[in-house]
Amino acid sequence: MYDVIVIGAGVTGCGIARELARYDWKTAVLERASDVCEGTSKANSGIVHAGFDAKPGSLKAKLNVEGSRQMESLSKELDFPFLRNGSLVLCFDEKDIPILHNLLEQGLQNGVEGLEILDREQLKRLEPNISDDAVAALHAPTGGIVCPFGLTIALAENAAVNGVEFHLDTEVQRIEKTSDGYLVYTSRGEFETKVLINAAGVYADRFHNMVSGEKIHIIPRKGEYCLMDKKAGGFVRHTIFQLPTVYGKGVLVTPTVHGNLLTGPTAADIEDKEAVNTTEPGMEELLRRASLSVNGLPVRQVITSFAGLRAHEERGDFIIGEAKDAPGFFDAAGIESPGLTCAPALGRYLAGQVLAYLPAKEKPGFIAARKGIPNMGQASLQERQRLIAENPLYANVVCRCELVTEGEILDAIHRPLGATTLDGIKRRTRAGMGRCQAGFCSPKVVEILARELGKDVGEISKRGEGSRFLTGYLKDSAEASESERCESGKAAE
Amino acid sequence: MKKDLVIIGGGPAGLAAAIAAREAGVEELLILERDCRLGGILNQCIHNGFGLHTFKEELTGPEYADRYIGKAKTLGIPYRLNTMVVDLRAEGQQKKLTVMNREEGLYEIEAKAVILAMGCRERTRGALNIPGFRPAGIYSAGTAQRYVNMEGRMPGREVVILGSGDIGLIMARRMTLEGARVKLVAELMPYSGGLKRNIVQCLEDFGIPLRLSHTVVDIKGRDRVEGVTIARVDGNLKPIPGTEEEISCDTLLLSCGLIPENELSQGLGAAMNPVTGGPFVNESLETDKEGVFACGNVLHVHDLVDYVSQEAEAAGRKAAAYLRGGLEGTGRVVSLRAAEGVRYTVPASLDIGRMEEAQTVRFRVGDVYRDAAIEVSCDGRILRSVKKKVLAPGEMEQIILKKQELEAADNPKEIVISVRTQGQGKEA
């Protein structure tokens, strides 16, 4: 019997799990994918919103501003990449300038600091590549960018270190109400729990509606993105928004914390909760709209495109808290933007609600800090030398584009909730995220994964069963010739 | 560590350059190779057809590489494997490289001269912006080649190939021989990007259809590729609605072009040619950074390794001359310009006083031409016109410029190389 179970290991579920880990509950997270951060959390803008968009007085506004304020200290505590680069909301028509002032006013009410309106000249000085059509902008210096994988994985690892069980490849199929909680049927057996938390992203309506008569409806809102080479990373310094529309904050152009340039998302409401495919019209629309914000968007530098599904609840607000007719069932549903920003604050808020329902004591040995995987690509010369002195494998480069070493890949595999798939390695170390898109390093990473996990290379997958890379041996050979394999890492023969 | 010459890359270009430099008397030299063996991508090219020009015999890739590796070892040329050059910069005439490997850690090498021989990488699905899902089963042709030829593993069973570059053509045959079903090769352009001999020997001989003016417009399958949609493209290379065709497959191979790997050259600040993706070089294969030379696929993408070796030998000799102080410019510089039909030239300039008696100029055309001529002119005067039955973007062309003919010209300024169409003219 568990005290608390969380469905979903995205940023929201992991944010909640990390806060639950502070108390002496027996807690588990159930995730259908083979890793954490496999849904919406892996395909979004990576923005820490300043908090001027949300309606004053709303929970969204409160959690956004809190989340934004906490992010910097949290990034130090949990060691994930975060940068407060500031954001700009562009206005293209003189007659829309009052809307910028409304946003500023709203931001002030929400407690956002440092907001100011910039005229065209000030804007151009701040961002030389900004579109000539921009007439003014709202500047929010507290806006930031974060690595969404880094944040999610950090929260998850820290929760795991503090005793939260993570059950991956575990898909929830059915939920039954029991006398003192819930019985959760999954693809890997049954779990009984007193409290059940629903952080299932685009599937949150399915689980909510299994226990509650007050139905909700999550509409997957597809957003397509293009990621550009680090050579284009300095194209803009701030996160560049356009004035919001009914579909959200619109297409943005932003640097990423790792120095790439990112543009997206589009917004299209769809039915299929699995449709994370990009589309030709989507890409066209995306590049057209992004080009409104900046002059000469470096489209030739695109290294990859992807799509994510925002969990848009049809009433347009977060649904957070205990379901009215289902005691002990707590929702964190409809968490669309600014969900990433809110995650840490949302976790604390929901943990507080659970505490009121099921009292618990704070764990005396809670470990708040976490040390991330070193990043040789971004480390200083001194830091590189120190790491190599500690472990020479930090000098053996596996991913040439992002300068990821064998040492970092071994860290990613052997830490708590370690990577078991190529995508898992990619999100933890950036191996394969560069301009060659894993062309050179994927065979090497597959080999290291197999070696370290005691598996055959044929069993290694992109993101779990069903996505294996290899389909067998050559017709004449029962196994690969081992004699030809050269020893990785030796500088001289 | 101090060296006279450092060669970045131990593939065919780096090896040939190092051997030529040593034979020209450079003692203090070092090859830095990032992979775990010398020979570069030749190690996975187990098909034959290498060396017809260099050795007058047909070798496999590993055999070709082995001849150079053997020679480098006989000459006692030092090299480092699994060694990554993290940074390359110039401080005056001194070049500084920051390198790292497992055994020696992170350290700096000072070199008087550097030869860039880092090769190239393959264009990716992301750079092509192919819409659809992002499942397992999408490989660059070279990655698939590595799995098959180096690891003895099959990356898939039912294959569609996008792009008719040489590696894709070679892999169409290779995977067919290993029991996979290669359904078709789709090529965006109205002509193939590969060598004619590969079209015949790798596709036609196996009955694999080549669909020109076609591209992949969608990829299906959330976890593993389940199929692709191809469509015909119009004259602007845009897919034509209504021509879509769904093809089930578990694998999509991409062979859509190679990109010189010039991150180090760009970090150094060398002037780059946007057409080739490589640095601009003069007749000595020297970049605009003094004492930094380039050769092989990092300079411009070649079809035949034999020409890579030739070019690299020249780079090695010139680097040796530079180290002896024998590469002083004479100021009699002529620029080379690619005009009608010609996309670029290597070199981009030459110093008449410094050039050898015969200078090879390599280039590619931008379209398919039949019964055309390559015209070489100097300041408006036609030096020569070479008739060609077929010219195609997939085949590198070359002409020879003679020192004598340039010395004879009156203070020449510019040499122009162009395609002269006659009769039917251009095909496409």
Side-chain angles (χ1 to χ4, degrees):
Chain A
M1 177 71 133
Y2 289 87
D3 293 309
V4 191
I5 280 181
V6 181
I7 306 174
V11 71
T12 303
C14 293
I16 295 166
R18 198 249 177 175
E19 291 304 319
L20 297 174
R22 295 178 190 272
Y23 302 94
D24 60 359
W25 288 310
K26 182 172 160 62
T27 304
V29 177
L30 309 181
E31 168 58 49
R32 70 170 181 146
S34 62
D35 197 358
V36 304
C37 198
E38 274 283 1
T40 303
S41 306
K42 77 173 175 186
N44 57 74
S45 310
I47 304 299
V48 175
H49 293 279
F52 50 78
D53 310 87
K55 206 178 290 170
S58 68
L59 186 57
K60 210 181 241 185
K62 175 176 148 22
L63 295 177
N64 185 340
V65 174
E66 272 180 33
S68 172
R69 282 193 191 133
Q70 288 169 16
M71 202 59 83
E72 186 154 9
S73 60
L74 190 68
S75 74
K76 294 196 174 99
E77 189 170 67
L78 296 181
D79 197 13
F80 59 85
F82 165 72
L83 181 69
R84 213 175 273 290
N85 65 322
S87 57
L88 294 164
V89 182
L90 303 186
C91 166
F92 299 102
D93 193 332
E94 300 278 352
K95 74 174 187 337
D96 289 338
I97 291 178
I99 308 179
L100 284 185
H101 286 274
N102 292 347
L103 273 182
L104 185 143
E105 192 49 45
Q106 190 166 284
L108 288 177
Q109 287 185 43
N110 290 346
V112 182
E113 289 143 20
L115 293 172
E116 55 177 341
I117 305 284
L118 305 180
D119 63 23
R120 187 203 299 265
E121 272 62 49
Q122 293 169 306
L123 183 56
K124 208 69 184 168
R125 254 194 313 261
L126 215 53
E127 288 291 353
N129 290 321
I130 217 79
S131 162
D132 298 333
D133 296 332
V135 294
L138 173 65
H139 178 215
T142 59
I145 47 182
V146 66
C147 172
F149 325 125
L151 169 59
T152 308
I153 290 166
L155 291 166
E157 280 183 8
N158 188 244
V161 163
N162 286 296
V164 174
E165 295 172 19
F166 279 76
H167 297 264
L168 304 172
D169 290 313
T170 304
E171 183 168 13
V172 174
Q173 292 159 337
R174 200 154 56 83
I175 301 167
E176 236 175 62
K177 179 87 190 80
T178 61
S179 57
D180 57 347
Y182 295 89
L183 186 59
V184 184
Y185 294 85
T186 78
S187 56
R188 295 208 171 183
E190 293 153 28
F191 293 78
E192 206 179 349
T193 182
K194 293 175 191 155
V195 170
L196 188 56
I197 299 178
N198 174 22
V202 287
Y203 285 97
D205 54 351
R206 177 179 294 179
F207 301 123
H208 172 97
N209 295 343
M210 282 179 187
V211 301
S212 171
E214 297 197 354
K215 303 299 178 195
I216 64 172
H217 183 206
I218 306 279
I219 302 160
R221 179 169 283 177
K222 185 188 285 194
E224 301 189 33
Y225 291 88
C226 281
L227 183 75
M228 282 162 257
D229 195 290
K230 286 182 171 176
K231 286 171 193 162
F235 188 72
V236 292
R237 289 191 300 120
H238 296 77
T239 301
I240 316 289
F241 296 94
Q242 299 167 0
L243 271 179
T245 70
V246 286
Y247 280 106
K249 298 183 201 53
V251 168
L252 58 84
V253 179
T254 185
T256 70
V257 269
H258 296 288
N260 295 82
L261 186 70
L262 177 72
T263 184
T266 52
D269 289 351
I270 58 172
E271 290 295 317
D272 185 354
K273 293 179 193 275
E274 297 292 313
V276 289
N277 56 319
T278 55
T279 64
E280 205 202 334
M283 287 289 120
E284 249 172 49
E285 158 98 355
L286 168 60
L287 296 176
R288 186 182 60 76
R289 292 185 46 184
S291 296
L292 298 177
S293 294
V294 291
N295 291 331
L297 186 73
V299 290
R300 292 193 56 170
Q301 298 285 349
V302 170
I303 58 173
T304 190
S305 306
F306 57 90
L309 303 177
R310 331 218 256 287
H312 175 70
E313 209 286 323
E314 62 188 356
R315 278 156 290 190
D317 203 357
F318 289 172
I319 298 172
I320 300 173
E322 193 173 6
K324 268 190 199 141
D325 54 349
F329 184 93
F330 292 81
D331 282 306
I335 310 298
E336 55 187 328
S337 179
L340 191 70
T341 314
C342 293
L346 190 158
R348 191 163 295 183
Y349 175 82
L350 202 59
Q353 292 207 341
V354 174
L355 202 56
Y357 178 85
L358 185 69
K361 282 206 250 336
E362 283 196 31
K363 254 187 262 178
F366 180 76
I367 303 160
R370 169 236 184 214
K371 187 84 195 94
I373 300 169
N375 181 337
M376 286 295 284
Q378 288 190 326
S380 66
L381 184 68
Q382 288 75 11
E383 180 68 2
R384 281 177 179 171
Q385 267 159 341
R386 190 187 65 74
L387 285 163
I388 293 167
E390 194 181 283
N391 178 0
L393 291 178
Y394 287 123
N396 189 31
V397 175
V398 174
C399 165
R400 55 173 78 167
C401 304
E402 294 291 316
L403 207 78
V404 181
T405 64
E406 189 176 356
E408 291 158 83
I409 290 171
L410 294 186
D411 285 352
I413 295 170
H414 294 300
R415 51 198 295 123
L417 277 179
T420 57
T421 62
L422 197 82
D423 279 0
I425 295 286
K426 181 168 89 171
R427 285 195 294 271
R428 284 168 180 80
T429 67
R430 298 188 56 74
M433 275 202 190
R435 48 184 72 95
C436 94
Q437 288 284 296
F440 286 113
C441 69
S442 59
K444 294 185 190 175
V445 175
V446 166
E447 195 181 315
I448 295 171
L449 271 168
R451 185 186 76 204
E452 297 299 315
L453 299 174
K455 290 183 173 179
D456 180 79
V457 292
E459 295 174 82
I460 303 302
S461 69
K462 181 168 164 60
R463 52 168 166 266
E465 271 320 299
S467 65
R468 290 184 178 194
F469 288 103
L470 301 170
T471 56
Y473 294 95
L474 301 193
K475 60 180 182 185
D476 295 330
S477 64
E479 59 190 77
S481 148
E482 290 297 324
S483 61
E484 270 300 296
R485 187 152 287 159
C486 54
E487 197 185 328
S488 156
K490 283 191 78 178
E493 284 174 316
Chain B
M1 185 186 286
K2 285 189 185 201
K3 291 283 168 189
D4 285 341
L5 173 63
V6 170
I7 295 127
I8 308 177
L15 286 166
I19 290 165
R22 171 55 66 85
E23 287 179 336
V26 181
E27 283 301 316
E28 287 299 314
L29 82 176
L30 176 65
I31 301 175
L32 301 175
E33 167 55 46
R34 57 188 161 196
D35 215 329
C36 60
R37 50 167 76 80
L38 292 171
I41 223 72
L42 284 175
N43 287 310
Q44 66 184 50
C45 300
I46 64 166
H47 52 282
N48 59 0
F50 298 89
L52 285 168
H53 298 259
T54 312
F55 301 110
K56 310 292 174 220
E57 56 183 310
E58 259 197 309
L59 304 175
T60 64
E63 285 170 338
Y64 187 95
D66 217 44
R67 300 243 170 145
Y68 285 87
I69 295 169
K71 193 156 186 195
K73 287 185 176 169
T74 306
L75 290 171
I77 296 172
Y79 59 91
R80 284 281 176 275
L81 301 176
N82 290 301
T83 301
M84 186 79 186
V85 179
V86 180
D87 185 43
L88 168 65
R89 61 201 183 280
E91 285 172 17
Q93 292 196 332
Q94 200 67 244
K95 273 58 98 179
K96 289 195 174 171
L97 298 93
T98 308
V99 308
M100 60 186 203
N101 65 41
R102 196 174 87 183
E103 282 159 23
E104 298 162 304
L106 181 73
Y107 61 104
E108 197 163 82
I109 304 175
E110 281 184 23
K112 292 178 187 154
V114 169
I115 297 179
L116 307 171
M118 294 88 79
C120 59
R121 62 170 174 268
E122 298 174 277
R123 184 163 282 126
T124 64
R125 181 255 176 111
L128 298 163
N129 232 339
I130 305 170
F133 284 89
R134 303 197 304 148
I138 306 169
Y139 306 95
S140 69
T143 306
Q145 188 177 45
R146 183 190 155 122
Y147 275 126
V148 175
N149 292 349
M150 307 283 280
E151 322 264 339
R153 302 291 184 128
M154 287 296 274
R157 295 289 173 197
E158 299 221 300
V159 185
V160 167
I161 300 177
L162 175 63
S164 58
D166 288 311
I167 314 170
L169 300 176
I170 296 283
M171 284 312 291
R173 174 175 67 186
R174 183 78 183 106
M175 291 195 68
T176 304
L177 289 173
E178 291 301 337
R181 197 164 153 233
V182 178
K183 296 199 158 175
L184 59 86
V185 175
E187 168 60 57
L188 179 71
M189 303 305 287
Y191 48 80
S192 161
L195 294 170
K196 179 71 185 162
R197 74 173 194 209
N198 285 334
I199 302 278
V200 175
Q201 295 170 10
C202 300
L203 299 188
E204 290 174 9
D205 288 359
F206 293 89
I208 299 167
L210 172 61
R211 304 279 283 272
L212 298 174
S213 296
H214 276 75
T215 193
V216 172
V217 294
D218 198 14
I219 298 171
K220 295 190 169 56
R222 196 177 183 276
D223 294 323
R224 174 84 199 190
V225 173
E226 289 165 13
V228 299
T229 306
I230 63 164
R232 178 178 287 281
V233 297
D234 63 19
N236 297 317
L237 308 180
K238 292 274 170 230
I240 303 169
T243 65
E244 295 87 357
E245 198 179 322
E246 289 190 17
I247 296 161
S248 78
C249 58
D250 63 11
T251 305
L252 174 65
L253 297 191
L254 302 173
S255 183
C256 301
L258 300 169
I259 299 160
E261 286 237 276
N262 274 295
E263 280 63 39
L264 288 173
S265 328
Q266 285 168 306
L268 179 69
M272 304 296 296
N273 183 338
V275 178
T276 56
F280 283 111
V281 292
N282 60 23
E283 83 297 327
S284 301
L285 299 167
E286 189 185 26
T287 66
D288 71 335
K289 297 286 168 195
E290 189 191 311
V292 179
F293 301 81
C295 56
N297 283 350
V298 81
L299 177 56
H300 58 141
V301 175
H302 295 62
D303 330 311
L304 298 182
V305 71
D306 303 72
Y307 295 146
V308 168
S309 301
Q310 277 180 22
E311 187 176 271
E313 280 158 22
R317 283 197 310 275
K318 296 298 177 181
Y322 171 80
L323 290 168
R324 286 196 306 270
L327 210 61
E328 289 294 317
T330 67
R332 292 157 65 201
V333 176
V334 186
S335 63
L336 278 85
R337 183 160 67 85
E340 295 92 299
V342 176
R343 297 186 60 229
Y344 70 88
T345 67
V346 167
S349 70
L350 58 84
D351 183 318
I352 301 174
R354 198 168 56 179
M355 74 184 281
E356 295 184 1
E357 290 308 318
Q359 170 76 44
T360 305
V361 178
R362 298 198 163 94
F363 57 92
R364 280 179 196 272
V365 295
D367 209 333
V368 175
Y369 300 91
R370 287 186 195 282
D371 297 318
I374 291 164
E375 196 172 272
V376 184
S377 63
C378 178
D379 296 337
R381 186 170 60 87
I382 294 174
L383 288 182
R384 88 185 64 113
S385 181
V386 185
K387 285 198 176 153
K388 289 277 175 180
K389 273 219 109 35
V390 183
L391 286 165
E395 318 239 353
M396 185 183 280
E397 297 291 335
Q398 65 176 53
I399 52 125
I400 308 288
L401 287 177
K402 299 213 171 67
K403 184 169 184 149
Q404 213 178 353
E405 66 189 345
L406 296 182
E407 299 236 293
D410 177 31
N411 191 23
K413 287 275 172 284
E414 186 184 63
I415 292 166
V416 177
I417 301 178
S418 58
V419 176
R420 178 78 173 259
T421 52
Q422 7 172 284
Q424 307 128 289
K426 139 175 161 170
E427 186 188 71

